[in-house]
Amino acid sequence: MDQKISKNGHSRWEEEDHIIRTELDPVLLTQLQMLQGKTVQGLALWASSIADEELAELDEDTTPENRVFVDFDLYLEGHILMEVYAASLYHGVDEKPVVGLETIANTLARMTERGATLGNVTTDEAEGLVLTLTTREGEETLIVAPSGWALGHWDELPDDERWLA
């Protein structure tokens, strides 16, 4: 995936005919809420994030061991692809974010292996998008707070790799 992304306006990034949404309106939120309950068929975690460039400018450490923000693709049932950008993951509302690329990869892999579904699609206090992934039996929930997202369709599931370069 080409990471040449430029910030464009207040509500989206553009990547060569590909719009990454960064703000919600009621119509977009309703469209995303229609995905609630869809089973995760596959997941591809990227080794880098679109947040890396901004973090580097702020002298933030983006080594794999200290990574908090990740980009990943959710392959949902019905051939719906949800691309998630600069997301942080939490085990609970009052928890600190999951840290480290390997820990994040293992957390997402465990959720997928346990039959994750896209649970609630809602907003936080700042009207930012918040997703939950829930295991089939409901014993585990993961909160995902993306800075951006895009919807599309997939034809093939990703390889069994935990993350891609």
Side-chain angles (χ1 to χ4, degrees):
M1 172 182 240
D2 187 5
Q3 291 293 327
K4 294 180 183 172
I5 298 175
S6 60
K7 195 146 184 170
N8 181 350
H10 297 279
S11 65
R12 63 187 186 178
W13 282 302
E14 287 190 20
E15 176 188 350
E16 300 178 22
D17 302 326
H18 184 76
I19 297 174
I20 301 171
R21 301 284 179 188
T22 58
E23 290 184 8
L24 282 171
D25 62 36
V27 173
L28 281 173
L29 181 58
T30 300
Q31 288 174 346
L32 292 170
Q33 287 174 332
M34 292 174 64
L35 302 176
Q36 292 177 153
K38 298 280 186 192
T39 303
V40 176
Q41 304 291 304
L43 188 139
L45 175 65
W46 297 92
S48 61
S49 172
I50 63 171
D52 292 350
E53 189 174 313
E54 284 186 43
L55 292 172
E57 288 176 10
L58 298 171
D59 291 329
E60 295 286 328
D61 189 3
T62 57
T63 62
E65 299 79 25
N66 295 319
R67 181 168 295 284
V68 174
F69 296 103
V70 293
D71 297 354
F72 61 92
D73 299 333
L74 280 175
Y75 295 79
L76 301 171
E77 72 177 286
H79 292 265
I80 300 166
L81 175 64
M82 182 175 211
E83 299 172 12
V84 178
Y85 297 95
S88 51
L89 290 84
Y90 304 84
H91 289 291
V93 175
D94 297 323
E95 301 285 326
K96 292 186 178 195
V98 179
V99 177
L101 187 59
E102 188 169 340
T103 303
I104 292 168
N106 289 336
T107 300
L108 289 169
R110 184 177 63 247
M111 292 293 293
T112 303
E113 289 166 1
R114 291 184 176 172
T117 60
L118 184 59
N120 288 334
V121 176
T122 189
T123 60
D124 59 16
E125 307 83 40
E127 298 300 317
L129 180 62
V130 176
L131 311 169
T132 59
L133 296 177
T134 307
T135 56
R136 190 172 328 160
E137 292 80 30
E139 74 275 359
E140 189 174 357
T141 298
L142 186 65
I143 300 167
V144 179
S147 297
W149 70 93
L151 291 178
H153 291 86
W154 58 270
D155 293 322
E156 294 181 25
L157 290 173
D159 293 337
D160 261 353
E161 298 175 36
R162 280 204 251 154
W163 62 78
L164 306 172

PDB file of all heavy atoms in Angstrom, residues 111-133:
ATOM      1  N   MET A 111      -8.207 -11.839  18.645  1.00  0.00           N
ATOM      2  CA  MET A 111      -9.606 -11.472  18.438  1.00  0.00           C
ATOM      3  C   MET A 111     -10.149 -12.116  17.161  1.00  0.00           C
ATOM      4  O   MET A 111     -11.256 -12.654  17.158  1.00  0.00           O
ATOM      5  CB  MET A 111      -9.756  -9.947  18.344  1.00  0.00           C
ATOM      6  CG  MET A 111      -9.486  -9.191  19.623  1.00  0.00           C
ATOM      7  SD  MET A 111     -10.678  -9.491  20.934  1.00  0.00           S
ATOM      8  CE  MET A 111     -12.140  -8.743  20.254  1.00  0.00           C
ATOM      9  N   THR A 112      -9.369 -12.076  16.089  1.00  0.00           N
ATOM     10  CA  THR A 112      -9.801 -12.640  14.810  1.00  0.00           C
ATOM     11  C   THR A 112      -9.970 -14.151  14.915  1.00  0.00           C
ATOM     12  O   THR A 112     -10.960 -14.713  14.436  1.00  0.00           O
ATOM     13  CB  THR A 112      -8.796 -12.272  13.701  1.00  0.00           C
ATOM     14  OG1 THR A 112      -8.678 -10.851  13.652  1.00  0.00           O
ATOM     15  CG2 THR A 112      -9.261 -12.767  12.354  1.00  0.00           C
ATOM     16  N   GLU A 113      -9.001 -14.816  15.565  1.00  0.00           N
ATOM     17  CA  GLU A 113      -9.070 -16.269  15.720  1.00  0.00           C
ATOM     18  C   GLU A 113     -10.275 -16.692  16.547  1.00  0.00           C
ATOM     19  O   GLU A 113     -10.808 -17.785  16.365  1.00  0.00           O
ATOM     20  CB  GLU A 113      -7.787 -16.783  16.368  1.00  0.00           C
ATOM     21  CG  GLU A 113      -6.587 -16.711  15.449  1.00  0.00           C
ATOM     22  CD  GLU A 113      -5.260 -16.886  16.181  1.00  0.00           C
ATOM     23  OE1 GLU A 113      -5.249 -17.088  17.418  1.00  0.00           O
ATOM     24  OE2 GLU A 113      -4.213 -16.794  15.504  1.00  0.00           O
ATOM     25  N   ARG A 114     -10.722 -15.859  17.455  1.00  0.00           N
ATOM     26  CA  ARG A 114     -11.874 -16.164  18.306  1.00  0.00           C
ATOM     27  C   ARG A 114     -13.195 -15.747  17.686  1.00  0.00           C
ATOM     28  O   ARG A 114     -14.221 -15.695  18.350  1.00  0.00           O
ATOM     29  CB  ARG A 114     -11.706 -15.495  19.670  1.00  0.00           C
ATOM     30  CG  ARG A 114     -10.588 -16.105  20.479  1.00  0.00           C
ATOM     31  CD  ARG A 114     -10.532 -15.480  21.826  1.00  0.00           C
ATOM     32  NE  ARG A 114      -9.502 -16.124  22.648  1.00  0.00           N
ATOM     33  CZ  ARG A 114      -9.123 -15.683  23.813  1.00  0.00           C
ATOM     34  NH1 ARG A 114      -9.685 -14.604  24.331  1.00  0.00           N
ATOM     35  NH2 ARG A 114      -8.191 -16.304  24.493  1.00  0.00           N
ATOM     36  N   GLY A 115     -13.170 -15.425  16.396  1.00  0.00           N
ATOM     37  CA  GLY A 115     -14.409 -15.091  15.696  1.00  0.00           C
ATOM     38  C   GLY A 115     -14.909 -13.699  15.992  1.00  0.00           C
ATOM     39  O   GLY A 115     -16.069 -13.512  16.357  1.00  0.00           O
ATOM     40  N   ALA A 116     -14.060 -12.710  15.817  1.00  0.00           N
ATOM     41  CA  ALA A 116     -14.433 -11.325  16.109  1.00  0.00           C
ATOM     42  C   ALA A 116     -15.534 -10.824  15.193  1.00  0.00           C
ATOM     43  O   ALA A 116     -15.618 -11.207  14.027  1.00  0.00           O
ATOM     44  CB  ALA A 116     -13.208 -10.422  15.983  1.00  0.00           C
ATOM     45  N   THR A 117     -16.359  -9.993  15.763  1.00  0.00           N
ATOM     46  CA  THR A 117     -17.367  -9.273  14.999  1.00  0.00           C
ATOM     47  C   THR A 117     -17.193  -7.788  15.275  1.00  0.00           C
ATOM     48  O   THR A 117     -16.652  -7.392  16.311  1.00  0.00           O
ATOM     49  CB  THR A 117     -18.811  -9.683  15.373  1.00  0.00           C
ATOM     50  OG1 THR A 117     -19.025  -9.419  16.757  1.00  0.00           O
ATOM     51  CG2 THR A 117     -19.066 -11.142  15.079  1.00  0.00           C
ATOM     52  N   LEU A 118     -17.654  -6.981  14.346  1.00  0.00           N
ATOM     53  CA  LEU A 118     -17.662  -5.546  14.569  1.00  0.00           C
ATOM     54  C   LEU A 118     -18.850  -5.249  15.459  1.00  0.00           C
ATOM     55  O   LEU A 118     -19.995  -5.479  15.078  1.00  0.00           O
ATOM     56  CB  LEU A 118     -17.755  -4.796  13.234  1.00  0.00           C
ATOM     57  CG  LEU A 118     -17.687  -3.282  13.303  1.00  0.00           C
ATOM     58  CD1 LEU A 118     -16.373  -2.813  13.940  1.00  0.00           C
ATOM     59  CD2 LEU A 118     -17.836  -2.688  11.917  1.00  0.00           C
ATOM     60  N   GLY A 119     -18.562  -4.811  16.670  1.00  0.00           N
ATOM     61  CA  GLY A 119     -19.623  -4.517  17.643  1.00  0.00           C
ATOM     62  C   GLY A 119     -20.146  -3.108  17.453  1.00  0.00           C
ATOM     63  O   GLY A 119     -20.445  -2.690  16.336  1.00  0.00           O
ATOM     64  N   ASN A 120     -20.180  -2.360  18.538  1.00  0.00           N
ATOM     65  CA  ASN A 120     -20.685  -0.995  18.485  1.00  0.00           C
ATOM     66  C   ASN A 120     -19.823  -0.104  17.600  1.00  0.00           C
ATOM     67  O   ASN A 120     -18.602  -0.184  17.621  1.00  0.00           O
ATOM     68  CB  ASN A 120     -20.736  -0.388  19.889  1.00  0.00           C
ATOM     69  CG  ASN A 120     -21.833  -0.982  20.723  1.00  0.00           C
ATOM     70  OD1 ASN A 120     -22.830  -1.456  20.200  1.00  0.00           O
ATOM     71  ND2 ASN A 120     -21.657  -0.961  22.023  1.00  0.00           N
ATOM     72  N   VAL A 121     -20.498   0.735  16.863  1.00  0.00           N
ATOM     73  CA  VAL A 121     -19.863   1.794  16.085  1.00  0.00           C
ATOM     74  C   VAL A 121     -20.473   3.074  16.632  1.00  0.00           C
ATOM     75  O   VAL A 121     -21.672   3.304  16.509  1.00  0.00           O
ATOM     76  CB  VAL A 121     -20.144   1.651  14.574  1.00  0.00           C
ATOM     77  CG1 VAL A 121     -19.564   2.824  13.812  1.00  0.00           C
ATOM     78  CG2 VAL A 121     -19.590   0.331  14.056  1.00  0.00           C
ATOM     79  N   THR A 122     -19.633   3.890  17.273  1.00  0.00           N
ATOM     80  CA  THR A 122     -20.145   5.063  17.967  1.00  0.00           C
ATOM     81  C   THR A 122     -19.121   6.186  17.916  1.00  0.00           C
ATOM     82  O   THR A 122     -18.176   6.124  17.131  1.00  0.00           O
ATOM     83  CB  THR A 122     -20.533   4.692  19.421  1.00  0.00           C
ATOM     84  OG1 THR A 122     -21.211   5.784  20.022  1.00  0.00           O
ATOM     85  CG2 THR A 122     -19.329   4.266  20.235  1.00  0.00           C
ATOM     86  N   THR A 123     -19.303   7.191  18.749  1.00  0.00           N
ATOM     87  CA  THR A 123     -18.378   8.309  18.812  1.00  0.00           C
ATOM     88  C   THR A 123     -17.905   8.515  20.247  1.00  0.00           C
ATOM     89  O   THR A 123     -18.562   8.092  21.197  1.00  0.00           O
ATOM     90  CB  THR A 123     -19.023   9.620  18.324  1.00  0.00           C
ATOM     91  OG1 THR A 123     -20.139   9.919  19.152  1.00  0.00           O
ATOM     92  CG2 THR A 123     -19.466   9.509  16.881  1.00  0.00           C
ATOM     93  N   ASP A 124     -16.757   9.191  20.367  1.00  0.00           N
ATOM     94  CA  ASP A 124     -16.271   9.574  21.687  1.00  0.00           C
ATOM     95  C   ASP A 124     -16.736  10.995  21.996  1.00  0.00           C
ATOM     96  O   ASP A 124     -17.529  11.572  21.248  1.00  0.00           O
ATOM     97  CB  ASP A 124     -14.742   9.444  21.766  1.00  0.00           C
ATOM     98  CG  ASP A 124     -14.018  10.298  20.739  1.00  0.00           C
ATOM     99  OD1 ASP A 124     -14.637  11.218  20.152  1.00  0.00           O
ATOM    100  OD2 ASP A 124     -12.824  10.059  20.525  1.00  0.00           O
ATOM    101  N   GLU A 125     -16.242  11.562  23.097  1.00  0.00           N
ATOM    102  CA  GLU A 125     -16.666  12.907  23.508  1.00  0.00           C
ATOM    103  C   GLU A 125     -16.337  13.967  22.463  1.00  0.00           C
ATOM    104  O   GLU A 125     -17.016  14.981  22.363  1.00  0.00           O
ATOM    105  CB  GLU A 125     -15.990  13.317  24.832  1.00  0.00           C
ATOM    106  CG  GLU A 125     -16.149  12.350  25.974  1.00  0.00           C
ATOM    107  CD  GLU A 125     -15.126  11.215  25.930  1.00  0.00           C
ATOM    108  OE1 GLU A 125     -13.944  11.440  25.607  1.00  0.00           O
ATOM    109  OE2 GLU A 125     -15.525  10.085  26.224  1.00  0.00           O
ATOM    110  N   ALA A 126     -15.272  13.744  21.695  1.00  0.00           N
ATOM    111  CA  ALA A 126     -14.856  14.707  20.670  1.00  0.00           C
ATOM    112  C   ALA A 126     -15.472  14.405  19.310  1.00  0.00           C
ATOM    113  O   ALA A 126     -15.041  14.948  18.293  1.00  0.00           O
ATOM    114  CB  ALA A 126     -13.336  14.714  20.562  1.00  0.00           C
ATOM    115  N   GLU A 127     -16.487  13.530  19.295  1.00  0.00           N
ATOM    116  CA  GLU A 127     -17.175  13.127  18.060  1.00  0.00           C
ATOM    117  C   GLU A 127     -16.275  12.366  17.100  1.00  0.00           C
ATOM    118  O   GLU A 127     -16.518  12.328  15.904  1.00  0.00           O
ATOM    119  CB  GLU A 127     -17.819  14.329  17.355  1.00  0.00           C
ATOM    120  CG  GLU A 127     -18.882  15.029  18.181  1.00  0.00           C
ATOM    121  CD  GLU A 127     -20.044  14.117  18.564  1.00  0.00           C
ATOM    122  OE1 GLU A 127     -20.520  13.339  17.719  1.00  0.00           O
ATOM    123  OE2 GLU A 127     -20.469  14.187  19.735  1.00  0.00           O
ATOM    124  N   GLY A 128     -15.215  11.726  17.632  1.00  0.00           N
ATOM    125  CA  GLY A 128     -14.363  10.866  16.830  1.00  0.00           C
ATOM    126  C   GLY A 128     -14.939   9.467  16.769  1.00  0.00           C
ATOM    127  O   GLY A 128     -15.663   9.031  17.669  1.00  0.00           O
ATOM    128  N   LEU A 129     -14.618   8.739  15.718  1.00  0.00           N
ATOM    129  CA  LEU A 129     -15.125   7.391  15.527  1.00  0.00           C
ATOM    130  C   LEU A 129     -14.537   6.439  16.560  1.00  0.00           C
ATOM    131  O   LEU A 129     -13.345   6.483  16.863  1.00  0.00           O
ATOM    132  CB  LEU A 129     -14.772   6.896  14.121  1.00  0.00           C
ATOM    133  CG  LEU A 129     -15.227   5.489  13.753  1.00  0.00           C
ATOM    134  CD1 LEU A 129     -16.749   5.380  13.785  1.00  0.00           C
ATOM    135  CD2 LEU A 129     -14.691   5.107  12.381  1.00  0.00           C
ATOM    136  N   VAL A 130     -15.371   5.582  17.104  1.00  0.00           N
ATOM    137  CA  VAL A 130     -14.951   4.527  18.018  1.00  0.00           C
ATOM    138  C   VAL A 130     -15.626   3.230  17.571  1.00  0.00           C
ATOM    139  O   VAL A 130     -16.842   3.186  17.386  1.00  0.00           O
ATOM    140  CB  VAL A 130     -15.327   4.838  19.488  1.00  0.00           C
ATOM    141  CG1 VAL A 130     -14.955   3.677  20.397  1.00  0.00           C
ATOM    142  CG2 VAL A 130     -14.667   6.122  19.955  1.00  0.00           C
ATOM    143  N   LEU A 131     -14.806   2.185  17.392  1.00  0.00           N
ATOM    144  CA  LEU A 131     -15.297   0.864  17.004  1.00  0.00           C
ATOM    145  C   LEU A 131     -15.015  -0.112  18.135  1.00  0.00           C
ATOM    146  O   LEU A 131     -14.042   0.062  18.870  1.00  0.00           O
ATOM    147  CB  LEU A 131     -14.561   0.364  15.758  1.00  0.00           C
ATOM    148  CG  LEU A 131     -14.441   1.304  14.576  1.00  0.00           C
ATOM    149  CD1 LEU A 131     -13.451   0.744  13.566  1.00  0.00           C
ATOM    150  CD2 LEU A 131     -15.800   1.515  13.944  1.00  0.00           C
ATOM    151  N   THR A 132     -15.822  -1.130  18.244  1.00  0.00           N
ATOM    152  CA  THR A 132     -15.476  -2.227  19.147  1.00  0.00           C
ATOM    153  C   THR A 132     -15.448  -3.519  18.351  1.00  0.00           C
ATOM    154  O   THR A 132     -16.275  -3.733  17.456  1.00  0.00           O
ATOM    155  CB  THR A 132     -16.463  -2.373  20.324  1.00  0.00           C
ATOM    156  OG1 THR A 132     -17.773  -2.593  19.820  1.00  0.00           O
ATOM    157  CG2 THR A 132     -16.454  -1.148  21.215  1.00  0.00           C
ATOM    158  N   LEU A 133     -14.465  -4.334  18.662  1.00  0.00           N
ATOM    159  CA  LEU A 133     -14.414  -5.702  18.157  1.00  0.00           C
ATOM    160  C   LEU A 133     -14.748  -6.594  19.328  1.00  0.00           C
ATOM    161  O   LEU A 133     -14.194  -6.436  20.419  1.00  0.00           O
ATOM    162  CB  LEU A 133     -13.017  -6.027  17.621  1.00  0.00           C
ATOM    163  CG  LEU A 133     -12.553  -5.217  16.419  1.00  0.00           C
ATOM    164  CD1 LEU A 133     -11.122  -5.602  16.048  1.00  0.00           C
ATOM    165  CD2 LEU A 133     -13.470  -5.443  15.223  1.00  0.00           C
TER     166      LEU A 133
END
